[in-house]
Amino acid sequence: MKSIVRAEPKDALILTKIAIRSEAYWGYNFQFMKKFKSVYKISEDYIEKNSTYIIIDKDIIVGFYGLLINEREISLEYLFIEPQYIGKGYGKMLWNHMISECKVLNIKEFALVTSQQAKEFYIKLGAKTCGEVDSLVIKGRKVPKLIYRVQ
């Protein structure tokens, strides 16, 4: 049985490992992944202060999302699925949960920065490309920035 529940600070290490394995799924080299690990580490503090939810299937955490909400911005910071579960609907389930959470919190739109590989996933869900930004992982690399308007 699948369920989506709020992440707890104690989940930080497992969520970081899921993010790393999920990103590595796309075939990035060692140097990229080394930098990714330092940039995209999920902290206990992040989980405490932001809408961070995990999806569980048969008592296993198979993915999560983290929605950063502060006075300056609202952005989807994380949405990662364990590689063996990619393409099986878990990402869409998390996305739909996040949209419901946005409605409860009266969030009208949010931004997200993603990889070229994941861009189409978000576009299929209704996000619109709004430009490119500098990658936090590779200096000089541009990555897509998207906006989603909650309806």
Side-chain angles (χ1 to χ4, degrees), residues 8-145:
E8 298 178 21
K10 68 176 178 56
D11 298 323
L13 181 59
I14 184 111
L15 299 188
T16 297
K17 288 179 177 181
I18 290 170
I20 291 166
R21 288 189 293 264
S22 183
E23 193 71 7
Y25 170 85
W26 300 109
Y28 290 111
N29 66 31
F30 175 79
Q31 284 302 102
F32 178 94
M33 290 309 303
K34 183 177 175 185
K35 179 73 175 182
F36 180 89
K37 289 176 189 180
S38 67
V39 171
Y40 287 95
K41 180 181 178 189
I42 294 90
S43 68
E44 291 179 2
D45 186 58
Y46 180 89
I47 292 170
E48 285 177 358
K49 293 180 179 174
N50 298 284
S51 290
T52 308
Y53 286 84
I54 57 177
I55 188 166
I56 300 168
D57 190 357
K58 298 177 186 145
D59 297 323
I60 299 168
I61 299 173
V62 299
F64 73 100
Y65 74 83
L67 191 62
L68 173 72
I69 304 168
N70 64 40
E71 61 279 347
R72 290 185 336 232
E73 65 181 322
I74 300 171
S75 62
L76 176 60
E77 295 291 300
Y78 304 101
L79 196 159
F80 290 102
I81 305 294
E82 284 281 15
Q84 66 268 34
Y85 296 94
I86 290 174
K88 297 184 176 164
Y90 293 91
K92 188 171 183 184
M93 289 173 63
L94 282 172
W95 178 268
N96 290 338
H97 183 275
M98 182 190 55
I99 298 307
S100 295
E101 178 77 358
C102 286
K103 289 176 181 177
V104 167
L105 298 171
N106 201 29
I107 294 170
K108 302 295 184 204
E109 74 175 29
F110 58 87
L112 63 119
V113 174
T114 189
S115 65
Q116 287 294 338
Q117 296 90 334
K119 178 181 171 183
E120 290 305 314
F121 168 77
Y122 296 112
I123 288 173
K124 284 180 188 174
L125 294 170
K128 306 287 183 208
T129 303
C130 68
E132 292 183 321
V133 296
D134 292 327
S135 168
L136 298 176
V137 179
I138 298 176
K139 187 177 172 102
R141 179 180 180 215
K142 296 289 187 184
V143 292
K145 181 176 181 178

